[in-house]
Amino acid sequence: MLDMEKLMMLRAVAAAGSIAAAARELRYTRSAASQQMAALERLAGIPLLVRAGNRISLTPVAWQLVEHTERILVELRAAETTLHREAGEAAGLLRVGVPFREGPAIMSSALTQSRQQFPKLEIRLAATTDEAAAEEVRLGRLDMVIMSRYGAATPHSQPGLREWVLGSDPLRLCVPVGHRLSGERSCALDDLRDEPWVISPTSTLGRLTTTLCIAGGFQPKIVATVDDVATALGLVGIGWGVTIAPDLTPAGPEASVRRISLIGVDVVRHSVLVVRDGEQLSPGIAAVVSAVHAVNAALRLAQAAPST
C-alpha cells in the first residue's frame, strides 16, 4: 500500500527537479531519498521517474500521484484544523511572507491588529517575492503570503492552495515631476521610445514592462536595473528615468512621481492572499485572514474617497 512518506518525497522531487534537492528540502540523506523513490516505483509496478543526467522528470502517472497527494494533504490539514478550531484559541507560530519593498500596508496593519487581539499567536515575518511566494506556502516554508499577480483576468488558485483576490489596480507610467508628460492624463507606448527606463529585469513586472515596450515598437533604453519596484520609483522620483508600476504601489515622497494612464494597456495587478488549502479555518490563520480583509476594505474605501 502507498504511504504518505513516499508520496511526500515524490511531491518534493516534482517541485525540486532532482532527488538531491528533494532530500535537502525534506532533510533526508540523498541515499535515503533514492531508496524512498525506488520503493515507491516497486510498489507502483511501473517507472515513475525519467532520469536525464542530474535532472529528473516525472511520468504522467507520477504527476497524477502528486495531484492525489495534494488532495490528501488538503484533507489532512482540514482534519487538523477541525481539532484546532475546537480548541478555540489562536496560538502558535504563523510564518508570513511579505514583499517588504513593495509597501505591504495591508499586511503590516492586519498583522499588528492580530498580534494585539491574539497575544498567544506568534507571528514571524519573512521577506519573499511574487515569483516564489505561492510555492513557499505550498511546500510549507511559509503559512501565508500577500503577493502580486499580473494579468487581465482574475487568477485561479493553484492545487493545494486557497487564494483570495483582495483587489486590483491598473499599471501606470510613472514619470518625475517636470517631465514633458507629467501634465498629461494618458499617453501611448509609442511616445516613450526615446525615454530612459528604470526596470527590475528579473521580476514579473520588469519582464512585462519590456514586453509592453517591444509591443509598442521599441526596445527600452535601460539606464538602471533594480531589484524591486520601490527602488525603481525612488529613481524615477529623482529624475533618473521612467518606469511602469501598479497604481497603488506607494512612492515616497509621492509628490515626486506623476502617474499616467497607458493607452491600450489593460493589464492589472491583483493583490492576492494565499494560504494552504485546508488550513484557512484554523484559529490563527482565520484571525489573520479576517484582519487582512478588514484592513483591505478600509484602505480601498479611503483610496476611493474624494479628496477635499
Side-chain angles (χ1 to χ4, degrees):
M1 178 179 292
L2 299 176
D3 66 72
M4 281 304 296
E5 187 176 12
K6 294 179 178 60
L7 290 174
M8 290 294 288
M9 181 59 70
L10 179 64
R11 176 176 178 258
V13 171
S18 75
I19 289 179
R24 290 192 297 271
E25 176 68 28
L26 297 183
R27 298 183 180 179
Y28 280 70
T29 64
R30 193 194 186 288
S31 174
S34 295
Q35 290 172 19
Q36 289 275 12
M37 287 295 89
L40 182 59
E41 287 187 308
R42 286 195 299 272
L43 284 170
I46 56 174
L48 298 175
L49 304 178
V50 179
R51 294 167 174 82
N54 292 328
R55 302 297 297 176
I56 285 180
S57 59
L58 273 62
T59 66
V61 171
W63 279 115
Q64 291 178 38
L65 286 178
V66 172
E67 292 174 2
H68 285 300
T69 302
E70 293 291 355
R71 289 194 288 272
I72 292 168
L73 289 172
V74 169
E75 292 302 318
L76 286 174
R77 290 192 291 262
E80 291 180 350
T81 294
T82 299
L83 296 177
H84 293 156
R85 192 167 64 244
E86 287 300 311
E89 186 175 28
L93 174 64
L94 185 66
R95 300 160 301 168
V96 181
V98 180
F100 284 107
R101 297 179 68 83
E102 294 205 20
I106 296 172
M107 187 62 91
S108 58
S109 299
L111 294 179
T112 299
Q113 290 186 14
S114 299
R115 291 179 70 189
Q116 293 170 347
Q117 188 175 358
F118 304 101
K120 293 186 178 181
L121 182 63
E122 180 188 351
I123 297 174
R124 182 182 301 165
L125 299 181
T128 189
T129 65
D130 292 331
E131 290 72 28
E135 186 69 1
E136 288 183 324
V137 172
R138 193 180 71 82
L139 294 178
R141 299 168 188 159
L142 295 171
D143 301 307
M144 173 186 296
V145 296
I146 280 187
M147 55 179 288
S148 296
R149 288 218 182 103
Y150 297 89
T154 302
H156 298 286
S157 296
Q158 300 177 40
L161 300 177
R162 177 66 63 94
E163 301 181 357
W164 296 267
V165 177
L166 301 173
S168 303
D169 54 323
L171 298 185
R172 300 293 191 216
L173 174 69
C174 299
V175 302
V177 171
H179 186 275
R180 64 183 179 86
L181 296 172
S182 61
E184 300 294 328
R185 295 178 62 87
S186 63
C187 74
L189 282 165
D190 185 64
D191 294 333
L192 306 172
R193 62 175 59 250
D194 296 322
E195 294 291 335
W197 286 84
V198 181
I199 292 177
S200 176
T202 61
S203 71
T204 302
L205 179 59
R207 292 191 294 271
L208 178 58
T209 297
T210 300
T211 299
L212 289 172
C213 290
I214 292 172
F218 65 95
Q219 284 280 354
K221 175 186 175 183
I222 299 175
V223 296
T225 57
V226 298
D227 291 333
D228 56 86
V229 67
T231 302
L233 287 171
L235 288 174
V236 170
I238 63 172
W240 199 259
V242 304
T243 197
I244 291 176
D247 195 34
L248 297 181
T249 300
E254 180 63 31
S256 65
V257 174
R258 293 287 184 267
R259 300 176 193 252
I260 303 167
S261 297
L262 287 164
I263 298 171
V265 176
D266 60 359
V267 179
V268 298
R269 185 265 301 269
H270 303 284
S271 296
V272 185
L273 173 65
V274 184
V275 302
R276 278 183 295 280
D277 196 5
E279 293 184 350
Q280 64 273 14
L281 295 180
S282 66
I285 289 180
V288 176
V289 169
S290 178
V292 168
H293 281 295
V295 169
N296 178 63
L299 286 173
R300 296 280 168 177
L301 185 63
Q303 288 157 355
S307 58
T308 58

